[in-house]
Amino acid sequence: MAEKVKSRHRERIRSYEILPPHMSELRLVLLGNSSSGTCSVGNFLLDKTVFTHSDCQKSSGQYRGKSMVLVKTPNLLHTNLTEASVSALMEDCVEHSAPGPHVFILVLQPEDFTEQQKTRLQSVLENFSDQAFQHSLLLLLPPRVGAADSLKRYKRQSPLKDVIKQCRFRYVKQKDVEPLELITRVGQIVKENNGEHVRPNMSSDALHLTPQTDVNVQAQTDGSGLNLILLGNSWSQRSSVGNLLLKKTALNTETKPPNFQTYEGEMHNQPLTVVNTP
């Protein structure tokens, strides 16, 4: 009986056009906190093994005579990634999905999803476009813990609960969905947005990602000196400015350390502290 119901459901899906007729290409971006999970979802949609590693990858397929482009991102939610690394990876994503994705598929491993990852996910999507959550579908991977009520518990608690709400309660469980059904859900989001794609509003010098850890930068002076913080999108140029101010080669212009770097010197016989940011 259950198989007959599923069969009728599949036939009903096949009986109508999922994507708007004027669309010749569907562009999807896979983003999540599991590299293996995003790979498996991408291969699941394309019905072939294309995505095999953690880098940013792009692949194309066909769906009912229309081109389907998938961009699989690396794990941008990994807390070890610096802001500069995330910025560079997002630039790759923007380039691969040009002129803009129609839907973001957020592939999340529920038990690994933390408040830090939620903050990073929100920052990435909002910096990509302020309309990104309106174009997002949440895909929940099966919890590894194996408890029957695990997913229910995660959905009731933050941070997953907050993301589900931001996605307008559009989510599916990977174990319950087939490729055609997943495309159907994607098509619903495309129709809700009148077939329009996301228009990226970010550039490498316009990102404002929320830091993943609290940073306490204090100048070690008696309060009578000058404290300066260097900000910008070029490490080497910031370092050159710092060396100019300190009148010595203190900041390495070649190597990019992952953390804040503090240097001390003097200016007009007063203490000078220069902080270079990652």
Side-chain angles (χ1 to χ4, degrees):
M1 175 64 74
E3 185 57 39
K4 288 183 179 180
V5 171
K6 286 185 179 181
S7 178
R8 287 198 298 269
H9 178 60
R10 286 193 291 267
E11 289 302 321
R12 191 161 57 249
I13 289 174
R14 293 189 183 97
S15 67
Y16 67 91
E17 189 68 34
I18 294 175
L19 300 177
H22 69 274
M23 284 183 59
S24 60
E25 181 178 81
L26 174 65
R27 295 181 296 277
L28 308 176
V29 169
L30 304 174
L31 170 66
N33 66 344
S34 169
S35 295
S36 60
T38 52
C39 284
S40 67
V41 172
N43 294 333
F44 176 71
L45 284 168
L46 293 172
D47 196 27
K48 57 184 176 180
T49 303
V50 176
F51 302 119
T52 57
H53 53 81
S54 60
D55 296 336
C56 188
Q57 293 177 270
K58 176 180 178 180
S59 186
S60 300
Q62 289 289 319
Y63 174 75
R64 291 190 176 181
K66 299 179 186 290
S67 175
M68 183 169 65
V69 176
L70 268 66
V71 177
K72 185 203 72 66
T73 65
N75 185 358
L76 298 178
L77 309 188
H78 200 296
T79 54
N80 288 343
L81 283 177
T82 64
E83 185 174 326
S85 298
V86 175
S87 174
L89 291 169
M90 284 182 65
E91 285 187 74
D92 288 342
C93 178
V94 170
E95 181 179 349
H96 288 325
S97 61
H102 294 98
V103 176
F104 293 91
I105 299 180
L106 311 181
V107 183
L108 296 183
Q109 190 73 52
E111 66 268 39
D112 295 341
F113 192 56
T114 64
E115 283 289 340
Q116 281 187 319
Q117 290 189 350
K118 183 190 78 172
T119 300
R120 172 65 66 80
L121 175 64
Q122 291 169 334
S123 296
V124 167
L125 287 177
E126 289 168 2
N127 277 280
F128 197 100
S129 168
D130 54 6
Q131 304 295 314
F133 272 109
Q134 296 180 27
H135 293 255
S136 293
L137 173 67
L138 185 58
L139 189 149
L140 300 175
L141 300 172
R144 289 193 299 269
V145 291
D149 65 339
S150 293
L151 191 52
K152 292 182 181 179
R153 184 174 71 252
Y154 292 127
K155 289 193 299 182
R156 288 196 300 264
Q157 299 173 347
S158 295
L160 189 59
K161 179 181 177 181
D162 297 336
V163 175
I164 290 175
K165 186 175 180 180
Q166 284 184 288
C167 291
R168 300 180 177 181
F169 300 93
R170 295 177 301 212
Y171 70 91
V172 294
K173 303 174 191 175
Q174 185 188 33
K175 68 182 182 66
D176 295 337
V177 70
E178 298 180 3
L180 186 57
E181 293 175 274
L182 184 54
I183 290 293
T184 301
R185 296 297 297 269
V186 167
Q188 290 171 347
I189 295 175
V190 171
K191 289 182 178 179
E192 288 173 14
N193 291 288
N194 300 315
E196 297 181 359
H197 60 76
V198 169
R199 303 182 188 280
N201 56 16
M202 59 151 285
S203 61
S204 60
D205 58 352
L207 283 174
H208 305 286
L209 295 175
T210 304
Q212 295 304 296
T213 56
D214 293 329
V215 180
N216 183 16
V217 181
Q218 296 181 341
Q220 303 301 314
T221 71
D222 60 4
S224 60
L226 179 65
N227 307 324
L228 303 177
I229 293 181
L230 304 175
L231 297 171
N233 67 338
S234 170
W235 168 266
S236 61
Q237 291 179 8
R238 292 198 309 275
S239 298
S240 297
V241 171
N243 290 332
L244 179 66
L245 291 166
L246 293 166
K247 296 183 179 178
K248 59 182 178 181
T249 306
L251 287 73
N252 191 323
T253 59
E254 300 297 331
T255 304
K256 300 179 182 179
N259 302 313
F260 286 77
Q261 302 291 305
T262 303
Y263 304 89
E264 296 182 356
E266 285 189 351
M267 179 178 288
H268 300 302
N269 297 320
Q270 293 293 321
L272 169 67
T273 300
V274 176
V275 178
N276 202 3
T277 58

